[in-house]
Amino acid sequence: MKKQILVAGGTGYIGSHTTVELQNNGFEVIIADNLSNSKIEVLDGIEAITGIRPIFEKVDLSVIEETEAFFKKYSKVQAIIHFAANKAVGESVAKPLMYYRNNLNSLMNILEAMKEHKIPNLVFSSSCTVYGQPDKLPVTESTPRKEAESPYGNTKSISEDIIRDTVKAHPELKGIALRYFNPIGAHPSSKIGELPLGVPNNLIPFITQTVAGIRPELSVFGDDYSTPDGSCIRDYINVVDLAKAHVVAIERLLKNKNDSNYEYFNVGTGQGISVLEIIEGFERSTGKKVPHKIVARRPGDVEQIYADTSFANKTLGWKSESSLDDTLLSAWKWQENLK
């Protein structure tokens, strides 16, 4: 019998790609999503790729009554991957209470359900934002967490603490937090990809929409940082590579290979790429020009951060494999496929 995995936020960008990889690896997936920043048509793309349509329930996991009703119906899941959260740095600065309410309540409701229904395994979608602006690069798992630069980042730090404390108090539970860096790209089939509702908050969909003529130009937030070209530096990881890391983490929990009840791993490429380098790479890989202008810095942005992934490489047996050019090209092909 296939093992049942709940993917909370499974119609979202990373959740949908992870659902594909789970189904390709023989898991049965149940998706719970409130569709606040995704579309139900994502299920069509998942089915077109895998031949399997995942079970779907529209539910807001930040609402305790909806969460309780959902888990009464699906109490036999063996593991949960929790993606269901608001995720835009800039928006979190403007709407902090929305971020704290949604991101923290959904996690606590899930943990309560795990206790009640004896669901032992959780993989949590964390973020490199927990490191703030690090003093030393690249960041390792032993790099101290810093005060977050944004309410979004703070919800990730607080969520990690909530999981750590909960599994300590309830040793029958296990959790893995994947601290990932900047996911980009789309599935090579162009059936699923990053499709934010409204104006994109992330760099790559803004680039692709600008090149497609949907946006007039891309704003580059600052060229006066202490980086080689003055623009912010991030670690951009292919979304399919990232999705595969979640499958590996789930298998680690199900096979009881975890070294403790709570583990955390950096999931990135180990390479820092600037915003201007991303624009150059996009133009190189697609042959398309990106209209852009330099504007003032954006509140909440970290100057530069990239990962040391050696711990995840060794312990999980996982590593990123996709090239930057291939990843950027996949994002453009996905955008073209939306026409």
Side-chain angles (χ1 to χ4, degrees):
M1 182 179 290
K2 290 185 176 181
K3 291 182 169 63
Q4 279 191 342
I5 310 297
L6 166 62
V7 181
T11 54
Y13 176 41
I14 307 170
S16 60
H17 287 80
T18 300
T19 296
V20 165
E21 296 306 316
L22 286 166
Q23 292 188 164
N24 283 343
N25 280 273
F27 293 101
E28 181 181 16
V29 175
I30 300 163
I31 290 176
D33 204 303
N34 66 0
L35 300 177
S36 63
N37 194 35
S38 60
K39 294 183 177 180
I40 192 67
E41 288 79 12
V42 169
L43 299 178
D44 298 333
I46 294 171
E47 184 176 14
I49 295 167
T50 66
I52 302 167
R53 194 173 187 86
I55 299 167
F56 174 81
E57 294 282 348
K58 185 177 180 182
V59 57
D60 188 339
L61 294 169
S62 70
V63 178
I64 187 64
E65 293 82 6
E66 290 190 37
T67 307
E68 288 174 345
F70 173 84
F71 278 99
K72 283 180 182 176
K73 186 174 180 180
Y74 297 102
S75 61
K76 303 300 183 185
V77 297
Q78 286 144 304
I80 299 170
I81 304 179
H82 181 34
F83 295 110
N86 297 122
K87 63 182 182 64
V89 168
E91 184 182 53
S92 77
V93 174
K95 301 177 180 179
L97 291 179
M98 181 179 82
Y99 272 68
Y100 287 118
R101 184 179 299 113
N102 181 74
N103 293 8
L104 300 182
N105 284 349
S106 59
L107 173 64
M108 290 188 288
N109 290 345
I110 283 173
L111 287 168
E112 288 286 3
M114 289 175 67
K115 288 192 303 173
E116 180 178 351
H117 297 285
K118 296 180 172 55
I119 302 167
N121 303 305
L122 175 69
V123 174
F124 176 66
S125 165
S126 192
S127 167
C128 65
T129 55
V130 301
Y131 297 116
Q133 178 56 66
D135 296 322
K136 184 179 178 182
L137 291 169
V139 293
T140 71
E141 286 78 0
S142 60
T143 297
R145 293 188 328 185
K146 282 191 170 185
E147 183 175 347
E149 299 285 330
S150 67
Y152 163 73
N154 202 26
T155 66
K156 293 301 183 182
S157 291
I158 295 169
S159 293
E160 285 194 6
D161 292 343
I162 290 171
I163 296 168
R164 179 200 64 204
D165 294 343
T166 302
V167 300
K168 183 177 180 180
H170 300 276
E172 72 277 11
L173 303 181
K174 299 174 291 182
I176 290 177
L178 297 181
R179 294 174 175 172
Y180 35 86
F181 287 68
N182 288 60
I184 62 171
H187 194 271
S189 68
S190 299
K191 303 284 186 189
I192 56 173
E194 189 168 10
L195 184 61
L197 303 186
V199 180
N201 286 291
N202 292 340
L203 175 62
I204 301 304
F206 211 110
I207 287 177
T208 60
Q209 289 188 17
T210 299
V211 174
I214 300 169
R215 311 290 164 195
E217 62 184 349
L218 169 73
S219 293
V220 176
F221 296 105
D223 65 347
D224 57 349
Y225 287 99
S226 297
T227 61
D229 63 19
S231 64
C232 288
I233 288 176
R234 297 289 183 270
D235 186 334
Y236 294 94
I237 179 171
N238 183 285
V239 67
V240 176
D241 289 344
L242 177 58
K244 291 176 179 178
H246 291 81
V247 178
V248 172
I250 282 290
E251 290 174 339
R252 180 173 175 82
L253 290 173
L254 291 173
K255 294 175 182 176
N256 289 308
K257 289 185 175 181
N258 47 301
D259 296 325
S260 68
N261 272 31
Y262 174 62
E263 299 177 309
Y264 46 92
F265 300 92
N266 287 340
V267 183
T269 67
Q271 183 179 9
I273 305 290
S274 75
V275 174
L276 292 176
E277 286 175 327
I278 285 287
I279 293 171
E280 292 169 6
F282 186 89
E283 292 179 342
R284 180 178 62 247
S285 61
T286 66
K288 304 289 184 179
K289 283 293 180 184
V290 181
H292 64 279
K293 65 178 179 181
I294 309 297
V295 299
R297 294 183 183 190
R298 181 173 57 180
D301 273 346
V302 168
E303 178 176 280
Q304 55 182 315
I305 189 167
Y306 53 94
D308 179 330
T309 62
S310 55
F311 183 54
N313 300 157
K314 179 181 177 182
T315 308
L316 296 178
W318 168 93
K319 65 177 180 179
S320 63
E321 298 176 342
S322 305
S323 73
L324 180 63
D325 280 10
D326 286 347
T327 300
L328 293 171
L329 182 59
S330 74
W332 175 239
K333 287 181 175 179
W334 158 247
Q335 180 69 53
E336 286 192 304
N337 197 48
L338 293 173
K339 293 178 182 178

